[in-house]
Amino acid sequence: MPGKILVVDDDAATRQGAMAVLLPAGYQMAIAEDPFTAMNVATQEQPDLILLADSMINSETLGLIGRLFSSPETATIPVVAIANTPEKGDAADRAGARAVLPGPADTDQLLRFVGEHVHSPGPLPGAPKSVLEDPARLAVVNALRPGPSGNPDLDHFTELAAKMLGVPVSVITLIERDRQVYASQTGVAPPGTTLDETSLEYSFCQFAVTSRAPLRIDDATTHPLVSGNPAVNTHNMKAYVGIPLIVGGDHAVGTLCAIDSTPRHWSDHEVDLLNDLAEILTTQLDSVHAGQGRHLVT
């Protein structure tokens, strides 16, 4: 049965065209012309589907997808996109869109596309394969991967993050194709032991890598994006904030994250502190990458 569609588009003629197709088919409509308005409308009106038009597929608007799937109020609303070029389609997929329709789309294509996804709610199941398997990104991750002795140069970052935010755990993760590697950790494993990696099944950080923006989770037990993640119970991850590490110019390789064993509200100041520390860390990782891992044990 028809539902409510939020169309995000800054072009009036395109919005009118979408309305001319969807309203006669029985869909309710909501409109947003920019990412800020779209976030507010999605939160307040809870549409069944969010449709990004081709004009909105740019670096500013694609960040909206990350904000939508990482917010507990909107995490279960599917976001789909119409992309008029393969490059835009790939960008929308990498940002976390559930599906991409190659455009320009005619009436039948648009109705079929919307009908296929309008009643498919649920959180993003994981980072898109196009993100995880990107060869250029994986090459940077490989250059940063610590050797058997770890990377003591990074440990002061996790130690400082834990102290600054008052949390028991802080980790620098590197997100590979099918696992997350711990480049540094404070408080994850008992003293004298280490936990080197986990499968992505346990990863919150993959979503920060996908969104390329800070991921703030106050209560993992109720947040749709991660409430089913086994790390909530097995690793006692009840609150999380992660800053993506953008290395080599444009590659989101992992995160600097802080984890608490009880739910908590992360203040803007705390997120800013972690972000500032991550910027310093990124500068160091850029240096390591430029030397193709020359500071790491191989």
Side-chain angles (χ1 to χ4, degrees), residues 98-116:
R98 305 293 181 89
V100 178
L101 174 65
D106 61 29
T107 298
D108 290 340
Q109 289 173 323
L110 179 59
L111 286 174
R112 184 163 54 250
F113 182 65
V114 168
E116 288 173 353

Side-chain angles (χ1 to χ4, degrees), residues 15 29 38 58 62 66 84 86 89-90 131 139 147-148 150 164 176 190 206 208 212 235 252 259 265-266 283 296:
R15 293 197 304 271
M29 298 289 296
N58 54 59
L62 288 178
N84 290 351
D90 183 62
V131 172
M164 289 169 57
E176 298 195 344
Q206 62 177 312
R212 300 171 65 90
H235 295 167
I259 299 165
H265 172 69
W266 303 103
T283 299
L296 303 182

Side-chain angles (χ1 to χ4, degrees), residues 30-51:
I31 297 294
E33 301 179 20
D34 58 77
F36 178 79
T37 303
M39 192 73 202
N40 286 337
V41 172
T43 301
Q44 295 172 10
E45 299 200 19
Q46 293 292 299
D48 297 294
L49 183 75
I50 299 171
L51 176 65

